[in-house]
Amino acid sequence: MNDFRIPLGTLIESFIEWITVTFGFVFAFIRLIVDGAFGGIAFVLVAPPFYVIIAIAAAIGFAVRGWKFAVGTVIGLGLILGVNQWENAMLTLALVLVASIIAIGLSVPLGILAAKSSVASSAIRPMLDFLQTMPAFVYLVPALILFRVGEVPGIVATIIFAMAPGVRLTELGIRGVDKEVVEAGQAFGASPWRILRQIQLPLATPTIMAGINQVIMLSLSMVVIAGMVGAGALGGEIVAALSRLDVALGFEAGLAVVILAIFLDRVTAALGNGSTPLGRILAARKASRVAANSAAQPANVPASALV
């Protein structure tokens, strides 16, 4: 009985080898696309002077959360610059953006499909359970075999690791839309696509944005782990600090990760709430425009016709 062993790991290894040989050109193409996207975003973040990026980040912070968050953004990014981790932080941000954009582009449509089809939901849910419970380091092994050392396997592993909450919360948000509102749209003859676009997605936006927030946070955590396969940036610095027991380097790189995480989390959370300063300004302008139209219109013309 002790000699009995199911060769599951060997079968998976053989399967990965077969995929590598048979579809090598596909993975080479994916590597080219992902590497190009990362290089482009990294150039946009690294090439300009640091004060330009800080000013843009502060403007984003002011637009979504106000002047206090803008000041905190300047202080936080200035601290990253002060500990000489600016370029590594921008490369990490580029990794997170590429992985998050692709993960969101995959997870939101899958969540919509799962919300629309019980069969699809039943098929997708076990896969999500598997992805969320599998240790994060395991994703690095096949990604490293298929895409070789560098940023690409780290990004691919990050996409796989971070997709699950985006799918789950998108499905949850759409299924949570009031059925009476959907039925009202159907009663007026709206097509399923129009109901999705104009009723379900807008009403589910806070929940979907919560999923997007989780995707970005998981991407940031996984990108650091991906430093072990040559992704570099802050993850590479943390791995180097661990190998050399360099407490100073580890703390500085870790602090830079925390600052990026706080910035990304607060921005996406504010966008999900829909109560940003910019949104309030636009709403006030719309209200004033409606009031002006109402004051100028003839008595028998409804105000809605002039908006």
Side-chain angles (χ1 to χ4, degrees):
M1 186 65 183
N2 292 333
D3 294 334
F4 176 76
R5 184 177 187 274
I6 300 175
L8 183 59
T10 304
L11 292 175
I12 296 298
E13 183 180 4
S14 301
F15 178 68
I16 294 295
E17 290 178 358
W18 176 78
I19 288 180
T20 304
V21 174
T22 307
F23 300 101
F25 65 96
V26 176
F27 296 112
F29 178 74
I30 294 174
R31 178 183 176 86
L32 181 65
I33 296 299
V34 174
D35 195 35
F38 168 74
I41 295 179
F43 177 79
V44 171
L45 293 174
V46 174
F50 69 88
Y51 50 81
V52 173
I53 302 299
I54 292 177
I56 293 174
I60 294 173
F62 177 78
V64 300
R65 293 188 68 92
W67 68 269
K68 292 181 180 179
F69 183 69
V71 172
T73 299
V74 173
I75 294 173
L77 294 180
L79 184 58
I80 293 177
L81 179 69
V83 297
N84 199 27
Q85 292 293 338
W86 178 259
E87 183 173 346
N88 288 326
M90 294 301 102
L91 293 175
T92 298
L93 183 58
L95 288 168
V96 171
L97 290 177
V98 173
S100 298
I101 289 171
I102 298 175
I104 292 167
L106 294 173
S107 62
V108 172
L110 284 175
I112 294 173
L113 176 63
K116 294 293 185 179
S117 171
S118 298
V119 175
S121 178
S122 299
I124 291 173
R125 191 175 297 115
M127 292 189 290
L128 298 179
D129 294 337
F130 177 82
L131 293 178
Q132 286 190 299
T133 54
M134 180 67 70
F137 288 95
V138 177
Y139 298 117
L140 298 176
V141 179
L144 187 60
I145 295 173
L146 296 174
F147 298 101
R148 302 192 301 273
V149 175
E151 291 86 4
V152 177
I155 292 174
V156 171
T158 300
I159 293 169
I160 297 172
F161 178 71
M163 278 181 56
V167 179
R168 290 188 187 278
L169 288 173
T170 298
E171 179 184 1
L172 178 64
I174 293 178
R175 288 185 181 272
V177 174
D178 192 346
K179 293 182 179 180
E180 294 183 358
V181 179
V182 176
E183 291 172 355
Q186 293 171 344
F188 281 100
S191 64
W193 166 247
R194 188 172 183 181
I195 290 174
L196 174 65
R197 183 170 55 89
Q198 297 184 348
I199 297 176
Q200 291 176 313
L201 286 178
L203 293 178
T205 294
T207 306
I208 294 174
M209 286 302 300
I212 290 175
N213 176 274
Q214 291 301 306
V215 168
I216 295 175
M217 291 298 99
L218 289 177
S219 297
L220 185 56
S221 66
M222 187 63 183
V223 161
V224 174
I225 298 174
M228 299 182 66
V229 294
L234 292 174
E237 292 290 283
I238 293 174
V239 172
L242 181 63
S243 63
R244 301 198 303 259
L245 297 180
D246 190 337
V247 177
L249 178 61
F251 179 81
E252 292 172 353
L255 181 62
V257 172
V258 170
I259 292 171
L260 289 179
I262 292 174
F263 175 77
L264 294 173
D265 176 64
R266 297 299 186 271
V267 169
T268 52
L271 293 175
N273 293 335
S275 59
T276 66
L278 180 60
R280 290 193 292 269
I281 292 173
L282 294 177
R285 288 184 177 180
K286 183 177 180 180
S288 63
R289 184 160 60 97
V290 171
N293 290 336
S294 300
Q297 68 177 335
N300 59 345
V301 178
S304 59
L306 299 177
V307 178

